[in-house]
Amino acid sequence: MYSIKVASRKTGIEPVTIRAWERRYGVIEPKRTDAGFRLYTDGDIADLKWLKHQVEEEGLSISQAAKQLKQRKQELYTVSTQNIGKTTVHLNDSIPALNELAEKLHHAIDTFDVERADQLLETGFSMYPFDDLFHHVLTPLMHRIGDEWEEGTFSVAQEHFASHLFRQRLYQFFKVFSTNPNLPNALALCPPGENHEIGLLLFSLFLKRKGVGVIYLGANTPTQGLEKIIVENDIHIVFFSLTRSENTDALKNLILQLAEQFPELNIVLGGQGVPSDDEVLQRYHLKDQPADWETWFGQLSIFKN
């Protein structure tokens, strides 16, 4: 929670303007202390930044921006309440806006505009459910950046900037999603020599979003002692990410070793480095599209017990 002074500093909006927008347009409803002082949440901060952007950069009046904000929130609330209990909420009407958000975020990354990128992410997470931002913005954008990096149209520095930006944001969600104790545990890691962990993070958050407990080891993880971790933490799923072809043989040997030692273990392999002509690794390969993840999750028997 933030005081109006802190909210003003975070948004670049004068306190008197924040109060006026609140009174005249009802765009935010801050909580109050016992003494009556306003307190603003992260969501309020994101809403205020979004309004400021619409007024200063998109040319809307504050009344038009406030109306749009209310309409979008009402649409999200209506769709969410209609889809309680469903695995994924699809907001078809919002897809054009999500695509536009992805394009603006891509431009901010292209120009190393960290403030703009942070603002766009905060706005996105305040306006849309995590699932929609995950499926329609974050995952496709990281795939696009990876492809452009391989093609040479995106520099190494830009790719690292994007990875750092998303890594910081995605780490925050590990504390947000609760774990279902009735579901099996998972282990996620990039083997030695693998430093690109965004795909690993996205898949780990996909599992966390489903209630799966995930032990996340991250990039360039030594593989010694994995067997002990698997046994002591009742691991049923191990997810590896492979992006560099030179690491293929070592990872392949490790996977075969784990498969022999733990016949019931579900081994999953993702990443652009998985060779399409390797029949052994293809048995464990899960494509990097969220739709494939949903299908895999729904078919795996350990999630049905």
Side-chain angles (χ1 to χ4, degrees):
M1 294 287 191
Y2 309 101
S3 67
I4 194 169
K5 182 177 180 181
V6 175
S8 174
R9 186 171 69 248
K10 282 179 168 290
T11 61
I13 304 172
E14 291 296 327
V16 64
T17 303
I18 294 175
R19 294 190 192 98
W21 288 0
E22 175 191 336
R23 285 195 310 269
R24 296 175 190 172
Y25 308 105
V27 289
I28 51 174
E29 297 179 3
K31 300 185 183 305
R32 298 271 185 168
T33 66
D34 293 338
F37 295 107
R38 292 173 171 83
L39 290 176
Y40 298 86
T41 65
D42 287 325
D44 294 331
I45 299 298
D47 287 344
L48 288 168
K49 286 183 175 181
W50 185 86
L51 289 167
K52 184 172 185 282
H53 170 75
Q54 298 302 313
V55 171
E56 295 183 356
E57 297 190 34
E58 302 297 334
L60 297 183
S61 67
I62 181 57
S63 61
Q64 292 172 322
K67 185 177 180 180
Q68 283 193 13
L69 181 61
K70 289 180 180 179
Q71 287 176 341
R72 291 191 176 203
K73 287 190 171 184
Q74 182 59 40
E75 289 171 2
L76 292 178
Y77 174 79
T78 301
V79 174
S80 297
T81 55
Q82 289 175 349
N83 287 274
I84 292 174
K86 293 186 179 180
T87 301
T88 306
V89 176
H90 295 285
L91 300 178
N92 293 328
D93 292 341
S94 296
I95 289 178
L98 289 166
N99 291 340
E100 181 183 358
L101 175 62
E103 285 298 325
K104 290 181 177 179
L105 193 53
H106 182 276
H107 178 72
I109 293 169
D110 187 35
T111 56
F112 297 99
D113 191 341
V114 63
E115 184 175 348
R116 174 68 168 146
D118 279 334
Q119 179 193 55
L120 288 167
L121 286 170
E122 287 186 15
T123 299
F125 282 115
S126 72
M127 293 295 299
Y128 303 102
F130 176 84
D131 282 350
D132 291 285
L133 217 65
F134 178 89
H135 287 303
H136 298 293
V137 178
L138 298 181
T139 302
L141 187 55
M142 285 311 303
H143 290 165
R144 176 182 174 183
I145 290 172
D147 291 341
E148 290 175 341
W149 174 69
E150 287 188 345
E151 295 166 359
T153 57
F154 227 61
S155 69
V156 173
Q158 288 169 315
E159 191 273 338
H160 283 198
F161 174 71
S163 296
H164 178 70
L165 178 73
F166 287 138
R167 188 183 299 113
Q168 284 188 316
R169 182 67 58 166
L170 293 173
Y171 276 145
Q172 298 174 3
F173 285 96
F174 273 89
K175 300 179 181 178
V176 173
F177 301 135
S178 59
T179 299
N180 183 344
N182 297 317
L183 293 179
N185 295 321
L187 180 67
L189 67 147
C190 294
E194 290 287 338
N195 293 303
H196 295 278
E197 61 176 315
I198 297 301
L200 189 79
L201 268 170
L202 289 171
F203 186 75
S204 297
L205 283 173
F206 169 79
L207 291 178
K208 287 280 289 182
R209 186 70 176 85
K210 301 292 187 181
V212 176
V214 179
I215 297 177
Y216 184 81
L217 301 183
N220 197 28
T221 300
T223 56
Q224 295 85 355
L226 281 186
E227 296 87 348
K228 183 178 180 181
I229 296 175
I230 291 170
V231 172
E232 292 184 351
N233 295 277
D234 193 27
I235 300 296
H236 287 70
I237 304 167
V238 176
F239 179 71
F240 296 101
S241 178
L242 178 66
T243 60
R244 299 171 63 89
S245 58
E246 57 265 36
N247 298 321
T248 300
D249 290 340
L251 181 56
K252 182 177 179 178
N253 291 334
L254 175 63
I255 288 176
L256 291 174
Q257 177 184 330
L258 291 176
E260 181 178 0
Q261 188 171 354
F262 303 99
E264 301 299 319
L265 184 66
N266 292 275
I267 300 173
V268 185
L269 178 60
Q272 297 181 348
V274 182
S276 59
D277 58 350
D278 192 310
E279 294 182 4
V280 174
L281 292 182
Q282 281 299 318
R283 291 204 300 266
Y284 303 98
H285 185 211
L286 179 62
K287 293 181 180 179
D288 56 6
Q289 297 300 320
D292 295 306
W293 299 353
E294 292 283 357
T295 300
W296 167 83
F297 186 88
Q299 293 177 345
L300 210 57
S301 60
I302 55 176
F303 294 119
K304 299 177 182 178
N305 297 332

